[in-house]
Amino acid sequence: MDSEPSDDFPDELDVDEREMERRKQIREFLDRSRSGAPAAGEAIRDRFSGDEVFERIVATASYEFSCSDRQLFLSGLAAGLSIMLSFLTRATVEATVPGTAGEILGYLLYPIGFVFIVIGGYQLYTENTLTPVTLVLTRIASVPLLLRVWGIVFVANILGAILGAVLLAETGIFSPDVARVATEMGTHALHTPWLDLFFKGIVAGWLVAGMVWMTHAVRESTARVLLVIFIMALIPANGLFHCVIATCEVFYLVFSGSAGVVAALSGVTLPITLGNTVGGVLLVAILNYSHTQESSLDESEQRDFKLQWYEWLFEQSPRE
């Protein structure tokens, strides 16, 4: 009588193993596309959906809103100084390497300032046309708080760019050949019509905010660097303008005695900034938000986190 259970037990194990193997085979079959390439597993898990990318950007934005004014300012100042490296590098390369090869190499090395900013985690105004805007679109942060972040970061970026221009214009960093190319770059921006700067700024703002979206969609730093290089190189390659770099370029002329402060700010910085803002907010932040789902929070949590409309429009301090 005691032998019967022991005879049945291995059979039960065999049935379980066969069932597990059958399920594994079905899963493997479903996980392969018609072409034979894996349709699931690591290849899929390495990708973020649009909703997941949006959630990652929201997490970044929540940190930015939690920063003090001092932190935002110093980070923005570091970004403004770092972006000077794009102007410096492009001018140096185009003056050193003759012909088309120098222009192409200058385009590819132009993103060096953006690499410093993205990997270093500095605050750049054109990046902030996406990240903090996401929290405002979800009504977790108010419009006045967004304007606070924008204002502090923008002023710090512009001051950093101007300090960089002073450094380049008042020292012997540039050789005469490089100074000539740098002057041509600043003069080109200064002589471009206001509306042209605005519309070129829209496309450049689209590229910068799109770059931020895409860098949140990858995991590795190497992938982020490559994205920054190839996307940001499109700005000079297409004759577009970034407000902070263009400010550095045109203030190089100011400190060299070739342009006035009012002309630099109203004729170059202002139209490009407006264009960059429109491109980032409309073409990336709002457009990408519109094709993602609402927050995964349940209704009770949404009531706790979402601002009322009057709070969204007028609240001056972040909710504790």
Side-chain angles (χ1 to χ4, degrees):
M1 300 229 358
D2 294 337
S3 62
E4 291 181 2
S6 62
D7 290 339
D8 293 338
F9 188 66
D11 291 337
E12 293 176 3
L13 279 179
D14 290 343
V15 170
D16 290 341
E17 289 176 356
R18 286 196 298 270
E19 179 64 19
M20 289 175 64
E21 181 65 24
R22 186 180 70 86
R23 292 180 181 178
K24 181 180 177 182
Q25 291 173 351
I26 293 173
R27 185 168 61 252
E28 289 176 350
F29 172 76
L30 293 175
D31 283 353
R32 300 192 71 82
S33 65
R34 290 179 181 271
S35 65
E42 271 189 41
I44 292 300
R45 294 190 186 99
D46 266 356
R47 292 188 58 185
F48 293 108
S49 68
D51 297 327
E52 290 170 329
V53 175
F54 188 82
E55 289 172 3
R56 287 163 65 86
I57 292 173
V58 165
T60 301
S62 65
Y63 167 76
E64 292 173 349
F65 278 113
S66 67
C67 289
S68 66
D69 293 352
R70 173 180 168 276
Q71 289 174 309
L72 287 173
F73 181 82
L74 292 177
S75 183
L77 190 66
L81 286 167
S82 298
I83 214 73
M84 177 265 293
L85 297 174
S86 291
F87 176 39
L88 166 67
T89 303
R90 185 184 172 198
T92 302
V93 170
E94 292 190 10
T96 305
V97 182
T100 305
E103 289 185 4
I104 294 174
L105 187 57
Y107 299 158
L108 291 174
L109 293 178
Y110 170 89
I112 183 64
F114 292 97
V115 172
F116 268 67
I117 290 166
V118 170
I119 302 301
Y122 302 149
Q123 294 291 324
L124 183 66
Y125 173 75
T126 46
E127 289 188 345
N128 284 338
T129 58
L130 172 65
T131 44
V133 174
T134 57
L135 278 186
V136 175
L137 291 173
T138 52
R139 280 175 42 211
I140 296 175
S142 66
V143 173
L145 286 178
L146 172 65
L147 296 178
R148 162 189 164 263
V149 171
W150 274 3
I152 294 171
V153 171
F154 179 74
V155 169
N157 285 172
I158 296 302
L159 286 177
I162 292 173
L163 288 175
V166 172
L167 181 65
L168 296 177
E170 302 294 337
T171 65
I173 292 177
F174 279 165
S175 68
D177 287 340
V178 177
R180 175 182 54 80
V181 173
T183 300
E184 290 175 356
M185 293 168 64
T187 303
H188 172 64
L190 195 62
H191 291 170
T192 301
W194 204 94
L195 276 179
D196 288 353
L197 289 175
F198 173 73
F199 287 112
K200 287 174 181 286
I202 289 178
V203 181
W206 182 11
L207 286 172
V208 175
M211 176 269 293
V212 175
W213 179 276
M214 294 182 70
T215 54
H216 279 80
V218 297
R219 300 174 188 268
E220 298 84 9
S221 294
T222 302
R224 289 191 179 94
V225 170
L226 291 175
L227 281 171
V228 172
I229 290 173
F230 288 115
I231 295 176
M232 292 300 95
L234 296 175
I235 292 179
N238 290 283
L240 307 176
F241 292 95
H242 183 275
C243 60
V244 184
I245 297 178
T247 298
C248 186
E249 294 172 354
V250 77
F251 267 86
Y252 176 80
L253 296 183
V254 171
F255 294 111
S256 299
S258 303
V261 174
V262 174
L265 290 175
S266 63
V268 175
T269 302
L270 177 59
I272 298 173
T273 300
L274 293 175
N276 289 166
T277 304
V278 171
V281 173
L282 293 184
L283 299 180
V284 180
I286 293 177
L287 189 61
N288 286 1
Y289 170 73
S290 66
H291 74 74
T292 58
Q293 297 178 4
E294 283 293 325
S295 171
S296 59
L297 298 173
D298 61 33
E299 292 184 5
S300 62
E301 289 177 316
Q302 289 190 42
R303 284 194 297 269
D304 291 338
F305 284 101
K306 280 193 173 183
L307 301 174
Q308 299 297 322
W309 287 109
Y310 69 89
E311 294 174 321
W312 184 75
L313 286 172
F314 301 112
E315 190 172 72
Q316 299 290 328
S317 58
R319 179 176 290 183
E320 296 294 337

